[in-house]
Amino acid sequence: MAKVIMIQGTASGVGKTMLTLALCRIFKQDGYSVAPFKAQNMTANTHITEAGDEIAVSQWLQSLAAGIEPSPDMNPIILKPSTEHNTTLIMLNGKPFDTINAYNYKGVKQKLVTEIMAAYTRLSTKYDVIIIEGAGSPVELNLNKDDIVNMGMAKRANTPVLLVADIDRGGVFASLYGTINLMDETERAYVKATVVNRFKGEPVYFADGIKILEDITKLPVAGVIPYIAINLDEEDSLFYGDAHALQSIDYESQFDNIADNVRKSLDMELIYKILNDGV
């Protein structure tokens, strides 16, 4: 079975997708076979694989960074919202499955857990490393009981978690401290380190900030990642552009640049320790 690590964030858009992509590239560069996994995506921005299956563009890009063929196993559930009658199309394993609304999805969601775990198991028997990406925040307390993509997935996969915050939007201390302390004791045990993303300026000037974060969260800061411009879809649920425009991008150089930025900024020795030690 694969070793596994999960990327969760304090909010949507903090950089989970790009950190997952970067780690896919880094582990590939280090000689491992690696695959991305996201249990559920809410997006209309999808890519059609050669086999005719739909996966979210974010997992498609991550698979390219990992140097592997994209597969619906990497993204078994896609929710495609429609303005018509406020309905949402569920894509299951790359194919249309059901149309739901806000009132009946709760009943359907738990039925999808078996499919999610089957997809995850297929990946974990095929690759050395699986990098799971969460969605939004893991402490939406009104939704956590039936969670299938954040701590619900972490528990099912028994995976250690890196918690990412975006310092560029402000409130990094409150967002990390608050997120960790809104988790219950069991959930907090899965979180092994924090990551500060999109730092503008010299990270050395955040040394006091690292000490403060480690003091208040009781967790190591695995890295402070500098802000870099990325010409890729950062958060698929917030993407409103033309996915076909992505075809013209020089992916390989972008993937290498992103991976280099992250590798230089993360304590990779700690990341490998977390990966190897597990929960």
Side-chain angles (χ1 to χ4, degrees):
M1 297 289 285
K3 293 179 179 178
V4 58
I5 193 167
M6 186 172 192
I7 311 301
Q8 294 188 18
T10 57
S12 295
V14 299
K16 295 183 294 290
T17 297
M18 287 302 115
L19 181 55
T20 300
L21 183 150
L23 288 175
C24 282
R25 191 64 159 194
I26 288 169
F27 286 127
K28 174 185 181 293
Q29 291 170 342
D30 290 352
Y32 296 93
S33 64
V34 54
F37 181 84
K38 187 166 185 175
Q40 173 187 286
N41 243 319
M42 178 174 285
T43 181
N45 184 23
T46 59
H47 181 83
I48 308 297
T49 69
E50 289 188 6
D53 299 310
E54 282 191 61
I55 66 170
V57 162
S58 53
Q59 276 65 66
W60 172 62
L61 289 170
Q62 290 162 356
S63 72
L64 295 184
I68 60 175
E69 285 294 317
S71 160
D73 283 346
M74 300 168 187
N75 180 206
I77 309 297
I78 302 174
L79 305 180
K80 299 181 76 172
S82 171
T83 56
E84 184 177 352
H85 307 299
N86 294 316
T87 59
T88 297
L89 172 65
I90 300 178
M91 302 291 295
L92 173 63
N93 296 323
K95 306 293 185 187
F97 172 69
D98 197 3
T99 300
I100 52 97
N101 57 46
Y103 300 102
N104 67 356
Y105 183 50
K106 183 177 179 180
V108 174
K109 187 160 61 170
Q110 287 305 313
K111 298 176 184 177
L112 301 175
V113 170
T114 300
E115 295 289 344
I116 288 170
M117 293 312 297
Y120 172 76
T121 300
R122 287 191 292 271
L123 284 183
S124 66
T125 58
K126 186 177 180 182
Y127 295 96
D128 299 328
V129 177
I130 306 297
I131 306 174
I132 302 176
E133 180 186 343
S137 161
V139 289
E140 302 296 349
L141 302 183
N142 57 318
L143 304 175
N144 281 3
K145 181 180 177 182
D146 301 304
D147 176 63
I148 61 176
V149 69
N150 287 309
M151 277 301 170
M153 186 65 213
K155 293 172 185 176
R156 292 182 180 97
N158 197 33
T159 175
V161 172
L162 298 179
L163 183 64
V164 184
D166 177 5
I167 195 171
D168 189 46
R169 64 174 61 186
V172 71
F173 299 99
S175 59
L176 284 170
Y177 178 81
T179 298
I180 290 165
N181 282 276
L182 282 174
M183 294 176 181
D184 62 34
E185 185 176 350
T186 300
E187 293 168 339
R188 282 196 296 271
Y190 285 87
V191 183
K192 302 303 181 182
T194 63
V195 176
V196 175
N197 196 25
R198 300 194 184 113
F199 186 84
K200 292 180 176 177
E202 292 295 328
V204 66
Y205 296 123
F206 194 63
D208 288 347
I210 291 175
K211 184 179 185 306
I212 293 168
L213 280 173
E214 292 182 337
D215 286 345
I216 65 175
T217 64
K218 311 304 181 189
L219 292 168
V221 175
V224 177
I225 302 175
Y227 180 94
I228 61 168
I230 295 172
N231 188 27
L232 295 173
D233 179 11
E234 176 75 11
E235 173 58 58
D236 51 5
S237 66
L238 302 178
F239 181 83
Y240 296 102
D242 180 4
H244 297 292
L246 293 173
Q247 303 293 336
S248 63
I249 294 172
D250 179 0
Y251 293 118
E252 291 300 305
S253 62
Q254 283 257 32
F255 296 155
D256 286 337
N257 287 340
I258 294 167
D260 288 348
N261 186 55
V262 170
R263 188 190 285 272
K264 292 173 184 175
S265 308
L266 281 188
D267 181 347
M268 288 306 301
E269 184 176 342
L270 175 60
I271 299 301
Y272 271 108
K273 185 178 188 305
I274 291 169
L275 181 72
N276 290 321
D277 290 351
V279 177

